[in-house]
Amino acid sequence: MSAHLNLDSGPVTVLAVGAHPDDIEIGCGGALLSLRGRGDADVRTLVLTGTEERRAEACHGAQLFGVSQEPTLPGFPDARLPAHWAAVKDALHDFRDRSPVPDVVFVPRADDAHQDHALIGALAPSVWRGPLLLHYEIPKWDGDLGRPNTYLPIADDVAAEKVAHLCEAFPSQHARAWWDEEFFLSIMRIRGAEASTRYAEAFAVSKLTISL
């Protein structure tokens, strides 16, 4: 059975959490741009790690992708989040408590191959117990793409805009072998085929309550 969640009527509040600058934009940038087009979405973000250069990129990316205010940037060390488990959980709770009650929370997958992503994905359900949690995917060299169960069709122009904004906002990542427009479009095209559309972003949902 396929369940459809409709968020296209009335204002919507969205929170998004990333371990690193660019995680949110890669994982759900198309969703954020689609929400920006509505004109009634309040989007807040938390990015847990990043050097000064990377935090500046996170602020630029948030602006390009329609985030309502500058991201919260606590500045934890990259690739070391599990060693700061208690402080990371405190940061998530603090972000929750200082934000409006969300309709949707975007977080990484709990089974992501990167330890920073996986920690956030695992902690999120104990921090947000009411809103819908959409666990986004972050394609990378690890080759850990899973089998998502939730899809958001992305319009062709939004997919192109997402890729252009990624390349503009995060120049420090351009040297990575996998970072290019074709890579990001290809992932959305694969997920689009799975959703019977051209482009899509894919998410994992472990618990969904439906009101009839």
Side-chain angles (χ1 to χ4, degrees):
M1 183 179 73
S2 178
H4 294 267
L5 180 69
N6 191 345
L7 291 174
D8 64 2
S9 59
V12 61
T13 299
V14 175
L15 303 182
V17 181
H20 316 101
D22 74 29
D23 285 353
I24 293 169
E25 292 81 359
I26 291 173
C28 59
L32 297 187
L33 289 172
S34 299
L35 287 166
R36 186 193 65 182
R38 292 167 45 122
D40 62 353
D42 182 5
V43 180
R44 316 279 180 104
T45 59
L46 168 65
V47 180
L48 287 157
T49 74
T51 62
E52 183 177 354
E53 176 190 18
R54 294 283 278 142
R55 292 198 298 271
E57 289 182 342
C59 291
H60 189 196
Q63 182 180 37
L64 290 175
F65 282 84
V67 176
S68 304
Q69 56 187 241
E70 286 197 355
T72 300
L73 300 163
F76 288 103
D78 185 7
R80 297 292 186 272
L81 288 188
H84 301 271
W85 188 98
V88 169
K89 194 164 195 299
D90 286 344
L92 293 174
H93 279 280
D94 184 60
F95 178 61
R96 179 200 65 188
D97 294 343
R98 291 186 297 101
S99 301
V101 176
D103 299 291
V104 180
V105 181
F106 291 104
V107 294
R109 284 176 21 224
D111 63 345
D112 191 288
H114 194 294
Q115 67 273 8
D116 290 353
H117 304 161
L119 177 61
I120 297 170
L123 287 175
S126 69
V127 177
W128 288 279
R129 295 184 180 272
L132 173 65
L133 285 175
L134 292 177
H135 293 262
Y136 58 78
E137 57 185 353
I138 305 171
K140 50 193 174 298
W141 74 272
D142 304 80
D144 68 324
L145 290 180
R147 298 186 64 182
N149 55 20
T150 304
Y151 297 86
L152 175 67
I154 301 296
D156 290 10
D157 60 332
V158 174
E161 186 179 10
K162 171 183 174 176
V163 172
H165 286 343
L166 282 170
C167 292
E168 176 182 344
F170 304 105
S172 69
Q173 304 303 292
H174 290 185
R176 294 185 180 275
W178 50 267
W179 185 288
D180 60 33
E181 295 184 2
E182 184 179 14
F183 175 77
F184 294 119
L185 285 172
S186 295
I187 297 298
M188 287 189 286
R189 183 68 186 98
I190 290 170
R191 297 315 191 196
E194 294 171 354
S196 298
T197 187
R198 181 161 183 78
Y199 294 116
E201 289 178 337
F203 306 91
V205 175
S206 60
K207 189 172 185 179
L208 175 64
T209 300
I210 302 173
S211 298
L212 299 178

